[in-house]
């Protein structure tokens, strides 16, 4: 009656389902035992389903917590990237602002503000370490008539060309900048009057040889230059005044020349 490949449960079901076995004295206890077993199995099944459900709920919670943390991490790294980007932008903007506040937009040379800053520093250095320095004030001759004859735009072009010569001719340690209008200032650290005069003579000659072309027309320009050396006890503006006086002398003496400031005795 019982096949060997049948499970114990199947065999019992078959035994208890067969009415012929009811008269067997073991039938009732076996039926009871089977009922108890099935009840127990149902309970175990329920408990394990509850446990499974609880486990998957916990797993789900864990998963969603991990997902939430990952999402927050992704958002944080995005915010960090954006913040880095803005910091770089601010840095570049600051550099551009500093560059703009220190440079002349037409010629690209340092402006009066930068020149004054460096001049003050150089005066302090000269005072402290007893080191020489000189400055040269350079002015384009009869610039008004260049503007009047050829127009303001061309006047601007001459300013740019003169700036290029200046920038190319000054030495590494020197600083040249636009003092204002058609006037330029060259700062020559570690340089006495005589040496400064040599450098400026080279610059004067290079500018005199400059030819600015406009279509068929050509323009040339000359410059007058006043050179002054820092004197002990001088303020930076005293040195500027001395260079200005020398420049005025150069203008009055016929232009296209260099005059040196007379050292205070
Ligand atoms: N094109 C142009 N002209 C300028 C600029 N700044 C100043 N100027 C002109 O430069 C001229 C300077 O003229 P003045 O100060 O009379 O001197 P100058 O004609 O050079 O004569 P001297 O200095 O005596 O040789 C003025 O006409 C200004 O308008 C500029 O940025 N561009």
């Amino acid at each position: 009656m019982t096949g060997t490949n049948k499970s114990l449960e199947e065999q019992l079901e078959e035994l208890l389902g067969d009415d012929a076995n009811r008269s067997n004295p073991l039938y009732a206890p076996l039926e009871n035992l089977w009922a108890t077993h099935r009840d127990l199995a149902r309970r175990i099944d329920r408990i394990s389903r509850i446990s499974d459900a609880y486990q998957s709920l916990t797993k789900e919670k864990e998963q969603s917590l991990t997902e939430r943390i990952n999402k927050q991490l992704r958002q944080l790294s995005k915010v960090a990237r954006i913040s880095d980007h803005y910091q770089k932008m601010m840095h570049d903007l600051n550099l551009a602002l500093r560059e703009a506040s220190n440079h002349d937009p037409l010629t690209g040379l340092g402006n009066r503000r930068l020149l004054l800053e460096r001049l003050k520093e150089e005066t302090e250095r000269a005072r402290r370490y007893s080191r020489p320095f000189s400055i040269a004030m350079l002015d384009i001759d009869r610039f008004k008539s260049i503007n009047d004859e050829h127009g303001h735009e061309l006047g601007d072009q001459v300013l740019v060309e003169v700036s290029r010569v200046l920038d190319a001719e000054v030495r590494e340690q020197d600083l040249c900048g636009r003092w204002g209008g058609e006037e330029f200032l060259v700062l020559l650290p570690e340089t006495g009057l005589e040496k400064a005069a040599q450098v400026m003579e080279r610059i004067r000659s290079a500018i005199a040889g400059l030819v600015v072309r406009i279509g068929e027309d050509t323009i040339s320009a000359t410059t007058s230059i006043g050179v002054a050396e820092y004197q002990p006890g001088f303020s930076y503006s005293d040195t500027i005044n001395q260079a200005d006086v020398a420049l005025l002398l150069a203008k009055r003496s016929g232009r296209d020349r260099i005059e040196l400031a007379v050292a205070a005795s």
Side-chain angles (χ1 to χ4, degrees):
M1 181 189 95
T2 52
T4 45
N5 53 352
K6 286 186 180 170
S7 70
L8 181 63
E9 282 86 352
E10 283 170 331
Q11 290 173 40
L12 275 167
E13 291 278 7
E14 235 171 62
L15 252 168
L16 293 168
D18 190 349
D19 284 343
N21 291 328
R22 282 189 182 274
S23 54
N24 192 313
L26 286 176
Y27 185 88
L30 191 62
E31 191 179 37
N32 265 340
L33 191 66
W34 180 230
T36 310
H37 162 76
R38 280 201 306 190
D39 185 43
L40 252 168
R42 265 200 305 277
R43 283 180 197 214
I44 289 171
D45 188 44
R46 233 177 91 214
I47 288 170
S48 67
R49 263 189 281 121
I50 290 170
S51 152
D52 282 356
Y54 179 76
Q55 270 191 4
S56 67
L57 196 72
T58 316
K59 203 171 166 191
E60 246 174 51
K61 272 193 178 168
E62 268 175 15
Q63 266 181 350
S64 70
L65 188 68
T66 315
E67 268 167 25
R68 280 214 307 275
I69 289 172
N70 281 341
K71 195 175 169 191
Q72 279 173 354
L73 279 175
R74 280 199 301 275
Q75 282 173 340
L76 270 177
S77 77
K78 197 172 167 187
V79 169
R81 276 203 308 277
I82 291 171
S83 150
D84 283 356
H85 177 69
Y86 274 99
Q87 272 193 2
K88 190 182 174 311
M89 259 175 64
M90 290 300 290
H91 177 73
D92 291 351
L93 206 64
N94 266 334
L95 283 183
L97 273 175
R98 199 180 309 159
E99 177 81 5
S101 69
N102 284 337
H103 286 81
D104 169 48
L106 177 68
T107 61
L109 291 183
N111 61 13
R112 194 187 188 106
R113 182 194 173 109
L114 181 71
L115 287 167
L116 273 174
E117 204 176 285
R118 284 285 306 277
L119 199 52
K120 286 176 190 171
E121 282 170 14
E122 205 53 48
T123 303
E124 189 49 37
R125 215 174 67 87
R127 184 176 294 150
R128 209 177 267 196
Y129 304 108
S130 304
R131 301 302 305 166
F133 81 87
S134 296
I135 65 167
M137 204 59 98
L138 178 150
D139 188 285
I140 303 175
D141 294 329
R142 305 200 195 285
F143 192 61
K144 187 174 180 312
S145 40
I146 294 180
N147 270 334
D148 292 348
E149 280 170 37
H150 304 279
H152 205 265
E153 220 170 292
L154 205 101
D156 279 1
Q157 202 180 319
V158 172
L159 286 173
V160 171
E161 297 286 340
V162 167
S163 303
R164 278 200 196 134
V165 174
L166 267 170
D167 200 32
E169 293 290 332
V170 294
R171 304 161 310 171
E172 188 91 19
Q173 67 266 37
D174 303 333
L175 172 74
C176 64
R178 191 174 175 196
W179 189 244
E182 82 294 14
E183 216 173 342
F184 297 84
L185 188 146
V186 183
L187 173 66
L188 306 109
E190 297 289 332
T191 312
L193 194 65
E194 220 172 290
K195 180 69 195 165
Q198 281 171 21
V199 174
M200 293 316 295
E201 175 52 32
R202 204 181 64 229
I203 289 175
R204 187 207 58 76
S205 159
I207 294 174
L210 185 69
V211 178
V212 181
R213 291 184 193 284
I214 343 107
E216 301 288 283
D217 263 5
T218 55
I219 303 178
S220 48
T222 60
T223 52
S224 298
I225 302 171
V227 189
E229 182 182 354
Y230 164 79
Q231 302 293 310
F234 267 22
S235 68
Y236 72 91
S237 56
D238 291 334
T239 316
I240 293 173
N241 285 342
Q242 282 231 315
D244 267 340
V245 170
L247 169 62
L248 198 65
L249 187 62
K251 289 279 182 189
R252 287 193 180 147
S253 312
R255 299 182 173 81
D256 190 19
R257 69 182 58 228
I258 289 181
E259 288 292 339
L260 308 184
V262 184
S265 51

